C-alpha cells in the first residue's frame, strides 16, 4: 500500500528535507583532502541533533552510523570510518533525517578537487538523470515513467544503471512502497497520485551494472571497480506536480562542486 500524505505532513517532511539539504551542504564544506569519512559523519550527526532531529540511518536495521559515505567505486551504504578523503575522490553522501516523526532522504556525489573528465561526466549524468526522473513525478504518470526517464539519460550517455538497488516511498518511515527502479518501461507500474512522497535515487556506474556486498554487510561497490555516482531527492506530488523537498537553499561551497 502506498501511503499518501496530507499537505500538513508534506510541510513537515519539507522541514526535515531542508535540514537534510543543509547537512549535505555542510558535508560539502568539510570535504577537504585529509578528513576521514568518520569525521564527516560526526559533523553531520552533531548538526542534525543540534536541530532537534534524528539521523534516520543510525540503528536502522542495525546500521552503525548517522550517514552513508561511499567513496569512488562504492555505490551506496558506505559506513563512515577510516577512509581519508583524497584529491580526485568521488564521495557520495546519503543523509536521512527524522524530524517530528517525518522522514526525508537525499544523496549527493561530490567530486573532491579535480577529477578526470569521464568521472566529471558521470557525476553530471547522474544529476541529470535525477532531474529527468523528478520531472516524471506527475499525477497520472506511473512509476515506470520515472524509471524509464532515468534509464534513458544514463544509458544514452554510455553509463550503467545499478539494477539491484531502487528508490522508494518515504515519509512516515524510511522505506515505504512503491519501489522505484532506475530502469523500466514507461506507462508501467503503480499509478502516481497527489500526496505520494518518493525518494528518487539513480545509482549509476561508469562501467557495468553489477555490484557486490562487502563483508561489513552494508557497503556496496561496483564489481568492475568502476566509479559510481548517486543523487537522491525526496519529492512530493502536490497538486499533481513534483515538489522537491530536499533542494538546498544555499549552494554548497564552490570549488569542490562537480
Ligand atoms: N538513505 C538510504 C536510502 O536511500 C538508506 C540507507 S539505510 C542505512 O535508501 F541503514 F544504510 F543507512
Ligand atoms: Co533513499
Amino acid at each position: 500500500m502506498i501511503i499518501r500524505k496530507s499537505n500538513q505532513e508534506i510541510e513537515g517532511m519539507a522541514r526535515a528535507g531542508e535540514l537534510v539539504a543543509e547537512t549535505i551542504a555542510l558535508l560539502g564544506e568539510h570535504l577537504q583532502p585529509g578528513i576521514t569519512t568518520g569525521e564527516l559523519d560526526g559533523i553531520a550527526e552533531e548538526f542534525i541533533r543540534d536541530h532537534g532531529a534524528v539521523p534516520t540511518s543510525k540503528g536502522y536495521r542495525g546500521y552503525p552510523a548517522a550517514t552513508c559515505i561511499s567513496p569512488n567505486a562504492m555505490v551506496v551504504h558506505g559506513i563512515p570510518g577510516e577512509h581519508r578523503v583524497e584529491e580526485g575522490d568521488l564521495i557520495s553522501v546519503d543523509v536521512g533525517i527524522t524530524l517530528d516523526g517525518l522522514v526525508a532522504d537525499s544523496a549527493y556525489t561530490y567530486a573532491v578537487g579535480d577529477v578526470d573528465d569521464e568521472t566529471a561526466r558521470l557525476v553530471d549524468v547522474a544529476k541529470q538523470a535525477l532531474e529527468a526522473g523528478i520531472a516524471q513525478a506527475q499525477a497520472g504518470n506511473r512509476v515506470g515513467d520515472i524509471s524509464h526517464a532515468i534509464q534513458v539519460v544514463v544509458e544514452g550517455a554510455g553509463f550503467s544503471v545499478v539494477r539491484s538497488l531502487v528508490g522508494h516511498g518515504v515519509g512516515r518511515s524510511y522505506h515505504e512502497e512503491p519501489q522505484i527502479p532506475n530502469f523500466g518501461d514507461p506507462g508501467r507500474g503503480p499509478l502516481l497520485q497527489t500526496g505520494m512522497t518518493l525518494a528518487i535515487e539513480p545509482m549509476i556506474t561508469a562501467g557495468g551494472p553489477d555490484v557486490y556486498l562487502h563483508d561489513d554487510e552494508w557497503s556496496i561497490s561496483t564489481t568492475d571497480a568502476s566509479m559510481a555516482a548517486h543523487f537522491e531527492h525526496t519529492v512530493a506530488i502536490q497538486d499533481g506536480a513534483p515538489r522537491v523537498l530536499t533542494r538546498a537553499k544555499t549552494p554548497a561551497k564552490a570549488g569542490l562542486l562537480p
Side-chain angles (χ1 to χ4, degrees), residues 25 41 48 59 68 80 93 98 110-111 120-121 125 127 144 153 170 207 221 257:
D41 186 67
I48 293 164
C68 300
V93 301
T98 308
Y110 287 102
R121 197 170 69 87
V125 166
K127 201 183 273 185
V153 170
V170 63
S221 291
L257 283 175

Side-chain angles (χ1 to χ4, degrees), residues 61-96:
R61 299 183 182 212
Y63 185 76
T67 64
C68 300
I69 305 182
S70 309
N72 299 321
M74 197 174 284
V75 187
V76 286
H77 301 171
I79 300 174
E82 298 307 308
H83 177 88
R84 215 168 270 287
V85 173
E86 288 175 35
E87 167 100 20
D89 275 353
L90 280 192
I91 302 286
S92 299
V93 301
D94 189 343
V95 178

Side-chain angles (χ1 to χ4, degrees), residues 57 60 63 68 77 94-96 105 168 174-175 201 218 230 232:
S57 292
Y60 177 81
Y63 185 76
C68 300
H77 301 171
D94 189 343
V95 178
D105 184 11
H168 51 94
Y174 213 170
H175 294 118
E201 49 178 323
W218 281 106
H230 176 208
E232 174 179 29

